[in-house]
């Protein structure tokens, strides 16, 4: 299921389903975003705080449900990630989302919402930039690529950045796209929102994790048969995932060679997605192909319905 393409003048709802944002940073980001040519409708969660959460669970869930139900709202963007979306997965009105499919954008902790919405509605959602990034030296390519996905039913060109790639297993794979932040993928295991990777292209990213923690989480995914059932796997460069004492640690690449390479599934490392710049948008659910030998990912269909 795909949402209608976005056009200038549409209304974008903005919510904070995870952690709160510094007020000054939020105001600066909203001011910049308002210049993009869209009307904005702001959720109550933007002004709430409950410890490390942008308000109590019921309020953050209510914001999301209300934005999907509101006929004036054409798309929903997340203010930031942080922590907290797994706490509201059982409070989401998935039937309402199926009745009112809309563009939904975010990444990092928002991964849990992407997985749950896709699992229970089939809606294509977008792993892409969030509003607060606009207050921190925004990357033009991140936002231009996002709006290419959101405004046209024509597939976006393949991602093949001129940076170092690391082919883990040669070959190509094809299937619906699924994935997100590694720690959130692991947190769904054993729950009703568990990620389904069978026959899919799986993408995985994370940031600020010691290599041994990445090792542990990938091992858990392997034991849960989530890696070996994928049609292909692509990893980001895992920003700032280095050990304090590198002489007594494995590198991320060595971990991938140990855990993923023996599975024989087409796989490469180095995609600019998530906690990196640029942060390319990935449409979760669309038919996708990767070529691990050459290091590219390509979408076989558009991400939204034509206007």
């Amino acid at each position: 299921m795909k949402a209608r393409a976005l056009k200038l003048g549409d209304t974008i709802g903005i919510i904070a389903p995870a952690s709160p944002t510094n007020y000054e940073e939020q105001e600066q980001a909203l001011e910049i975003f308002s210049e993009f040519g869209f009307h904005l409708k702001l959720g109550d969660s933007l002004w709430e705080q409950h410890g490390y959460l942008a308000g109590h669970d019921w309020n953050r869930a209510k914001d999301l449900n209300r934005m999907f139900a509101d006929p004036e709202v054409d798309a929903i963007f997340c203010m930031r990630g942080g922590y907290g979306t797994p706490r509201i997965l059982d409070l989401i009105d998935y039937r309402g989302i199926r009745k009112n499919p809309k563009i939904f954008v975010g990444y990092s902790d928002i991964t849990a919402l992407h997985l749950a919405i896709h699992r229970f509605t089939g809606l294509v959602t977008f792993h892409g930039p969030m509003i607060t990034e606009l207050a921190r030296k925004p990357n033009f390519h991140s936002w231009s690529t996002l709006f290419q996905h959101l405004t046209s039913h024509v597939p976006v060109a393949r991602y093949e950045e001129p940076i170092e790639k690391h082919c883990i297993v040669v070959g190509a794979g094809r299937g619906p796209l699924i994935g997100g932040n590694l720690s959130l993928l692991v947190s769904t295991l054993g729950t009703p929102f568990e990620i389904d990777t069978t026959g899919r292209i799986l993408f995985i990213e994370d940031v600020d994790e010691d290599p041994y923690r990445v090792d542990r989480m990938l091992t858990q995914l392997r034991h849960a048969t989530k890696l070996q059932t994928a049609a292909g796997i692509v990893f980001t460069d895992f920003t700032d995932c280095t050990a304090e004492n590198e002489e007594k640690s494995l590198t991320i690449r060595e971990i991938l060679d140990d855990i993923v390479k023996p599975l024989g599934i087409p796989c490469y490392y180095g995609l600019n997605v998530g906690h990196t710049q640029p942060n390319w948008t990935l449409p979760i659910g669309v038919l996708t192909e990767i070529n691990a030998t050459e290091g590219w990912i390509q979408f076989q269909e558009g991400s939204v319905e034509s206007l």
Side-chain angles (χ1 to χ4, degrees):
M1 184 169 61
K2 299 176 183 178
R4 178 183 62 81
L6 193 66
K7 66 180 186 302
L8 290 178
D10 278 350
T11 296
I12 295 179
I14 301 177
I15 60 174
S19 291
T21 305
N22 172 276
Y23 178 77
E24 290 76 15
E25 183 179 62
Q26 179 170 284
E27 288 296 296
Q28 182 183 356
L30 288 172
E31 182 177 352
I32 295 172
F33 192 71
S34 67
E35 297 174 357
F36 285 6
F38 302 100
H39 299 294
L40 305 184
K41 180 168 283 193
L42 307 182
D44 294 338
S45 55
L46 298 187
W47 323 111
E48 300 288 336
Q49 182 168 358
H50 175 54
Y52 42 74
L53 303 169
H56 291 279
D57 295 346
W58 63 266
N59 191 53
R60 290 179 289 119
K62 182 181 71 174
D63 246 9
L64 178 64
N65 292 333
R66 183 170 56 191
M67 289 296 184
F68 269 105
D70 190 337
E72 295 182 355
V73 173
D74 302 291
I76 304 165
F77 281 48
C78 295
M79 177 58 70
R80 62 159 295 187
Y83 175 77
T85 59
R87 291 177 56 151
I88 67 173
L89 297 184
D90 56 348
L91 302 176
I92 302 303
D93 180 9
Y94 298 103
R95 180 177 297 180
I97 294 176
R98 286 196 298 271
K99 291 181 178 179
N100 303 286
K102 297 178 182 181
I103 288 166
F104 178 74
V105 184
Y107 73 102
S108 191
D109 197 69
I110 311 304
T111 293
L113 287 171
H114 286 309
L115 296 179
I117 290 172
H118 183 71
R119 185 175 185 91
F120 290 106
T121 74
L123 176 64
V124 170
T125 59
F126 298 86
H127 185 280
M130 293 185 284
I131 304 299
T132 51
E133 295 178 42
L134 292 170
R136 312 171 196 157
K137 296 182 180 180
N139 184 284
F140 170 79
H141 296 291
S142 298
W143 290 91
S144 63
T145 304
L146 170 64
F147 285 112
Q148 287 178 43
H149 278 286
L150 304 187
T151 59
S152 174
H153 68 283
V154 177
V156 171
R158 69 169 60 166
Y159 295 159
E160 190 174 15
E161 310 92 319
I163 61 175
E164 182 183 3
K165 295 290 194 306
H166 176 56
C167 179
I168 300 168
V169 179
V170 299
R174 192 169 186 263
L177 186 65
I178 197 71
N181 183 269
L182 176 58
S183 59
L184 273 297
L185 300 183
V186 169
S187 75
T188 68
L189 299 179
T191 75
F193 314 100
E194 183 169 304
I195 183 173
D196 180 7
T197 62
T198 304
R200 297 172 179 264
I201 299 299
L202 172 63
F203 72 95
I204 299 178
E205 70 94 28
D206 219 320
V207 63
D208 290 331
E209 295 282 7
D210 282 330
Y212 80 89
R213 291 174 57 87
V214 174
D215 185 319
R216 181 171 60 202
M217 290 186 284
L218 287 176
T219 297
Q220 187 172 355
L221 286 179
R222 181 176 65 83
H223 287 320
T225 69
K226 299 302 179 181
L227 300 180
Q228 50 269 60
T229 55
I233 308 173
V234 56
F235 292 91
T236 70
D237 56 5
F238 281 78
T239 304
D240 296 329
C241 291
T242 55
E244 184 175 341
N245 187 343
E246 296 185 7
E247 293 183 357
K248 295 184 178 181
S249 173
L250 295 174
T251 65
I252 295 298
R253 292 189 178 190
E254 288 172 332
I255 291 169
L256 296 180
D257 283 341
D258 285 350
I259 296 175
V260 182
K261 191 171 184 177
L263 303 178
I265 297 167
C267 179
Y268 75 94
Y269 167 94
L271 181 66
N272 275 357
V273 165
H275 296 86
T276 186
Q277 294 294 338
N279 173 13
W280 303 125
T281 295
L282 291 179
I284 294 175
V286 303
L287 187 61
T288 302
E289 181 179 0
I290 66 166
N291 187 307
T293 308
E294 299 177 6
W296 53 256
I297 183 170
Q298 181 170 307
F299 312 106
Q300 304 297 307
E301 57 180 320
S303 310
V304 291
E305 296 288 354
S306 58
L307 294 172

